[in-house]
Amino acid sequence: MQNIILLGPPGAGKGTQAARLQASRGMIQLSTGDMLREARASGSPIGEKVKAIMDAGELVSDAIVTALIGERLDTCADCGAIFDGFPRTRQQAEALDLLLAERGRKLDHVIQLAVDEEALVTRITGRFTCAKCGTGYHDTFHPTKVEGVCDVCGSTEFKRRPDDNEQTVRTRMEEYRAKTAPILPFYEARGLVRRVDGMASVDEVAAQIDAILDSAAI
Ligand code: AP5
Ligand code: MG
């Protein structure tokens, strides 16, 4: 049972790779972005509170996301966890250490998806998902096989994230540079960071991550 963090700027491929690992290895994907979007869709008080912050591309408070992660971690005591989009600040990184220690878990790898940020704007603004089954697509890099029909479930309904416009993406990138990238040294000092080439194809990135997870535990 391994616990890993996927770390990288918006559009680096965290969600894409987490979904693959969840399917191939029975790990659980813990995406704070997805949890917050669910909270918004349900109209819960937390959802109402975070709406404007997310649409501006800024970070939601450490307390909210840490509580969400803690709850979700408890739903599967025996599964490896993939932290996708968490932690994003030094405070969240320290809170994660505590959450794991309280549950007798430890962090095995921090997988850094190294990417060219300019290319990410194109990746993000072309992204859409099936409204029914959640399968992810991209206008240019991964269109549906039949236009307007989901390859997996046949639905004809799709959605795009409200924060996937260029202006908000730029703010999200700035937040990453200012608050999230600085947590790398915290993990480097513990020898946990593994760097993969996030600009390679989805399959190649997946192969690099598999090699890390299959390597002998350090
Ligand atoms: P979140 O949902 O986490 O968004 P993000 O970090 O900005 O990252 P994305 O989901 O946009 O990108 P991704 O790395 O998952 O890439 P993907 O696989 O989709 O957070 C949203 C907001 O919630 C934040 O702005 C903040 O407000 C709030 N929030 C969330 N967590 C928080 C926290 N911990 N603290 C505070 N606030 C928080 O890939 C992108 C596209 O590229 C897809 O179309 C995909 O098909 C394509 N693609 C992926 N890999 C490749 C590849 N190798 N080659 C070509 N195309 C690829
Ligand atoms: Mg994501």
Side-chain angles (χ1 to χ4, degrees):
M1 183 181 87
Q2 300 192 75
N3 299 297
I4 65 168
I5 294 173
L6 294 181
L7 192 72
K14 304 181 293 292
T16 302
Q17 296 300 330
R20 289 173 72 110
L21 289 169
Q22 179 163 267
S24 65
R25 292 180 181 256
M27 300 170 81
I28 45 164
Q29 176 185 5
L30 299 173
S31 159
T32 38
D34 288 349
M35 293 173 203
L36 292 166
R37 280 183 286 279
E38 278 165 27
R40 284 178 64 155
S42 74
S44 71
I46 287 186
E48 287 303 312
K49 206 167 163 181
V50 300
K51 201 167 180 264
I53 300 171
M54 291 177 78
D55 288 349
E58 290 160 9
L59 293 190
V60 169
S61 80
D62 292 333
I64 289 179
V65 292
T66 304
L68 287 172
I69 284 281
E71 274 170 31
R72 211 57 77 92
L73 207 46
D74 289 331
T75 63
C76 190
D78 303 325
C79 322
I82 310 152
F83 297 99
D84 160 7
F86 179 93
R88 263 176 151 97
T89 63
R90 174 66 184 250
Q91 284 80 358
Q92 291 178 26
E94 287 171 1
L96 177 60
D97 279 345
L98 206 61
L99 286 173
L100 290 172
E102 283 167 357
R103 290 160 179 79
R105 290 172 177 257
K106 72 171 179 58
L107 200 53
D108 294 281
H109 305 287
V110 176
I111 297 178
Q112 180 193 1
L113 296 164
V115 284
D116 161 10
E117 288 191 14
E118 271 312 305
L120 299 188
V121 178
T122 320
R123 272 198 195 175
I124 293 177
T125 51
R127 168 174 62 183
F128 62 99
T129 53
C130 171
K132 198 172 162 205
C133 72
T135 300
Y137 296 98
H138 189 280
D139 292 325
T140 314
F141 308 125
H142 180 199
T144 53
K145 288 187 185 120
V146 177
E147 201 184 331
V149 182
C150 175
D151 298 352
V152 176
C153 75
S155 166
T156 52
E157 306 266 320
F158 295 90
K159 55 184 184 182
R160 289 179 191 261
R161 278 170 43 177
D163 59 345
D164 277 355
N165 59 79
E166 184 162 350
Q167 193 191 345
T168 306
V169 170
R170 300 259 175 225
T171 306
R172 286 159 59 195
M173 300 278 185
E174 279 163 27
E175 289 282 78
Y176 178 81
R177 277 193 292 268
K179 297 172 186 163
T180 308
I183 66 178
L184 270 166
F186 176 70
Y187 291 122
E188 272 160 359
R190 287 153 62 180
L192 291 174
V193 179
R194 317 276 175 261
R195 198 178 149 96
V196 306
D197 175 13
M199 296 314 293
S201 71
V202 171
D203 287 343
E204 283 165 30
V205 178
Q208 290 179 51
I209 295 175
D210 279 334
I212 293 166
L213 300 193
D214 292 337
S215 66
I218 48 154

